[in-house]
Amino acid sequence: MRMEPRDETSLLATLARKNAVLEGINRIFHEALTAPSLEALGRVCLRVAEDVTGASFSFMGEIDRATDRLDEIAISERGWAAFEAAKSDWPHGKVPTGLTIHGLYGRVLREDAALIFNDAATHPDRIGTPSGHPPLKNFLGVPLRRNGALIGMIGLGNRPEGFRDVDVAAVEELAPAIVQALHSKRAEAALRDSEEQRRLTLELVPAMLWRVDAAGRITSNQQWQAVTGQSDAQASGGGWMELIHPSEAGKVTRAFRRAHAAGEPVTVQCRVRQAGGGYRAVLIRQVPVRDPTGAISHWFGAATDVGDMQSMEERQRVLVAELQHRVRNILTVIRSVFARTVASGESLDDVADHFRGRLDALARTQVSATLNASGTVDLENLIRDELLSVGVSDGNSVSIAGQDVALPAASVELLGLAIHELATNALKFGAFRVNGGSLAITWDVKLGESGTRQLHLRWSESGVPAVPVVPPRQGFGIELIEEALPYRLGAETGLTFAGGGVCCTIVLPLPDEEGK
């Protein structure tokens, strides 16, 4: 135990010093609550130490165990004033870090003991002061410890009459309070950073999140209020149930009651009223959070918007149904094509050749339809694909002209087959078989008498020297154009065989601009 020095035997003087230390400790703990930063709290602690000891300036530092160097926590306001008086070029307010542990303060740390150097200028451990540092006449160093381990030190300089044992005693009495205050401030800052990080994380999550305490008070992220328009106060005490669609409120209430009674997580899907009106499907999950004793301290919940997912699922069901319908249709067309091709009475090789060509034409239309998300096919591309399938492209003998027309999927298969039949006939008997033959394909979109849009397509061959007025038999192509197109698509068709070549006209109903 340190004995009170004999030169301060006065009881009043001793009590005054003790009171000064106690007042300093109270000030440190009070300032710890309001200081904006660790460095600001450090300056308060240093000011108290200066007031108790009479030092002219001071600093506080901690040891970085990873580098075995000293990082200063704070320099006192008097210290910065002394630097400015010495015209120091040190940036004001920026405490130095990574200091080599040597010199007078290094001895304090190496010996882990409070030391007084009242003749600092001649002490053998003196290494001099850096440029701009005020002259150092005397020095007092006091270690800082936490849980018995050395963590840093306080250094005080230039007491006018030199430092005394009572100054050491005063700073050593302040040291535990300083360490505790700094530790609390650092823990508070870490907690605040953690809370801020948690808050930012919750705000960044696109789902609606909330916390419910034992009294039913809700604390939610901004997503909840943005989506529902309901504040935490309005949502608390079961107020959030007002947002549930009336037809589903009973289901949700029962699910939550069962979960709370059993202390188990709950998952329920329902519709929640939006801030702008209307309801949106959400998936609600809520789980209990337990304290170390196992009791439920609060509940944490999340609501995820599943409206888009439901729309996608519905769209998927529609697409699957549409696909099944189209598959049935194409199979029906294939059976019909096969039956009509076989019924032609041609040789097996001719039947196989014709069926293969028609099957390829159907395949091309299916590929074209799947390339576009809307399922439509560009008319000009359809015509050019069929011409290319028989080795013909537009040039001097072929002209193709017409506006952009998007054919609906329901029309593509039969119209593609009709163009294929015309192209195959032209290759075997018409404009593509003879020199001097030519083909003109034109189309336009007009309004019919009822105001519906109609495609007017014309296939006109010329330069064919001899074409019988009546074909020797009615083949698949004639039946397709004259019977299947009108029956299946509501088209008006005309097909003539005359001297010079084949002429075919097709007037096909089209959906309106909105696809109806």
Side-chain angles (χ1 to χ4, degrees), residues 183-221:
H183 175 71
S184 298
K185 177 57 68 174
R186 182 164 283 164
E188 175 190 323
L191 178 61
R192 185 171 58 251
D193 290 344
S194 175
E195 288 292 321
E196 179 65 10
Q197 184 177 9
R198 181 184 65 83
R199 186 189 67 80
L200 291 175
T201 300
L202 292 181
E203 296 302 338
L204 289 173
V205 174
M208 295 177 281
L209 305 177
W210 63 87
R211 180 184 184 276
V212 187
D213 64 16
R217 290 185 295 267
I218 288 180
T219 303
S220 65
N221 66 350

Side-chain angles (χ1 to χ4, degrees), residues 392-450:
V392 177
S393 60
D394 56 340
N396 294 332
S397 60
V398 178
S399 64
I400 301 173
Q403 67 188 85
D404 290 340
V405 175
L407 293 172
S411 304
V412 169
E413 295 162 358
L414 292 183
L415 187 60
L417 272 176
I419 296 172
H420 171 76
E421 293 299 314
L422 290 170
T424 302
N425 183 77
L427 180 66
K428 292 184 174 182
F429 308 110
F432 301 154
R433 184 173 183 273
V434 299
N435 293 328
S438 62
L439 169 65
I441 305 175
T442 58
W443 66 88
D444 195 6
V445 176
K446 301 177 182 179
L447 290 179
E449 294 180 359
S450 62

Side-chain angles (χ1 to χ4, degrees), residues 124-162:
D125 287 330
R126 181 182 181 275
I127 59 173
T129 56
S131 175
H133 192 288
L136 187 63
K137 299 177 182 178
N138 49 58
F139 180 78
L140 167 62
V142 175
L144 296 176
R145 304 181 185 89
R146 185 166 187 272
N147 298 327
L150 178 69
I151 62 170
M153 66 168 292
I154 292 179
L156 301 105
N158 290 5
R159 184 180 186 275
E161 297 84 12

Side-chain angles (χ1 to χ4, degrees), residues 18-63:
K18 293 288 187 182
N19 285 336
V21 171
L22 289 175
E23 289 177 2
I25 291 174
N26 288 334
R27 182 182 173 188
I28 288 170
F29 284 127
H30 175 74
E31 294 291 341
L33 299 175
T34 58
S37 66
L38 189 70
E39 196 262 343
L41 176 59
R43 289 199 303 269
V44 172
C45 296
L46 293 174
R47 179 60 183 267
V48 170
E50 291 171 349
D51 290 344
V52 170
T53 63
S56 298
F57 52 79
S58 59
F59 78 92
M60 182 189 307
E62 63 179 341
I63 301 172

